[in-house]
Amino acid sequence: SSTSSTTSSTQDPCLEVVNGNFEFPAVRKEAPLFANSGWTMGPRTVIRQVREPTFLGPNETGYGTQMALAFDADNSGDGMWQDLSGTYVEGKLYELSVALGRSPLLNYTSFVSIELRDTENNPIESKQVSAEQTPSNAFQTYTLRYQIPSGAKFVGQPVRIGLRFSGFGPSPGIDSVTLCKGSGKS
């Protein structure tokens, strides 16, 4: 699997998400996700890259051989984020998609917030997904769709995507993070 996701299902191209499939660096079983992986993490955030098969998530990712997860959702602070090579454009529709799935062997009481953020790391728009609503032993794609309103103060700022975690215990497995732009209404 490649280290970026750039396929498009809309009229405009997708923005490159570096390591959106969490395949870099390759790990033997599991290891911390480091800043040189393309992602930035808050000081309290512990994100692990995990190689399949594992008891921590679905047995197969479908997007390569690795996934990521937050070990302790309650203490993850700002979570993880990435600045993309593009700026917010007034009137554009942004579609941030993330594949989430959980292990059939663990009980989950955590949440993942899929977020578009401003440069101060504040959510512009978010979609919260309960780990309990994600499929067991499989991944499902969840998409946040948001059209940038006229006059928004963050127009022209770099596009920042983020995942924030809350609740208790591990987050579901995370894979296949993509962001595409469209011109239609949300």
Side-chain angles (χ1 to χ4, degrees):
S1 170
S2 69
T3 60
S4 65
S5 302
T6 57
T7 57
S8 177
S9 61
T10 59
Q11 295 175 348
D12 290 344
C14 295
L15 298 180
E16 181 179 12
V17 175
V18 176
N19 205 17
N21 288 341
F22 304 99
E23 297 296 309
F24 174 79
V27 298
R28 287 185 187 266
K29 190 170 182 176
E30 65 177 79
L33 181 66
F34 294 108
N36 67 356
S37 68
W39 293 91
T40 303
M41 284 139 302
R44 299 181 333 194
T45 305
V46 178
I47 304 294
R48 306 289 288 186
Q49 279 180 265
V50 182
R51 187 169 190 84
E52 65 178 25
T54 176
F55 74 93
L56 295 169
N59 284 330
E60 294 183 19
T61 70
Y63 309 102
T65 59
Q66 296 182 171
M67 69 188 104
L69 58 87
F71 263 15
D72 186 3
D74 185 40
N75 290 312
S76 69
D78 287 335
M80 58 195 290
W81 64 91
Q82 189 174 136
D83 291 327
L84 306 184
S85 61
T87 58
Y88 288 114
V89 177
E90 186 175 288
K92 282 289 183 187
L93 176 66
Y94 291 78
E95 298 177 338
L96 175 56
S97 296
V98 180
L100 301 172
R102 60 186 167 89
S103 167
L105 305 175
L106 298 175
N107 292 321
Y108 292 86
T109 57
S110 60
F111 298 86
V112 177
S113 289
I114 303 166
E115 299 176 343
L116 292 172
R117 299 180 182 180
D118 65 17
T119 54
E120 295 177 0
N121 230 11
N122 298 311
I124 293 168
E125 185 70 11
S126 66
K127 177 178 186 166
Q128 188 176 70
V129 179
S130 165
E132 293 176 340
Q133 76 187 81
T134 63
S136 176
N137 209 27
F139 278 91
Q140 179 176 326
T141 300
Y142 297 86
T143 302
L144 166 66
R145 290 178 178 85
Y146 182 67
Q147 188 164 7
I148 306 301
S150 175
K153 68 179 184 175
F154 51 85
V155 168
Q157 288 185 6
V159 173
R160 178 175 284 184
I161 60 172
L163 298 170
R164 193 177 311 256
F165 310 97
S166 60
F168 299 98
S171 74
I174 305 158
D175 213 340
S176 190
V177 180
T178 62
L179 181 102
C180 297
K181 296 188 302 182
S183 57
K185 300 282 184 203
S186 60

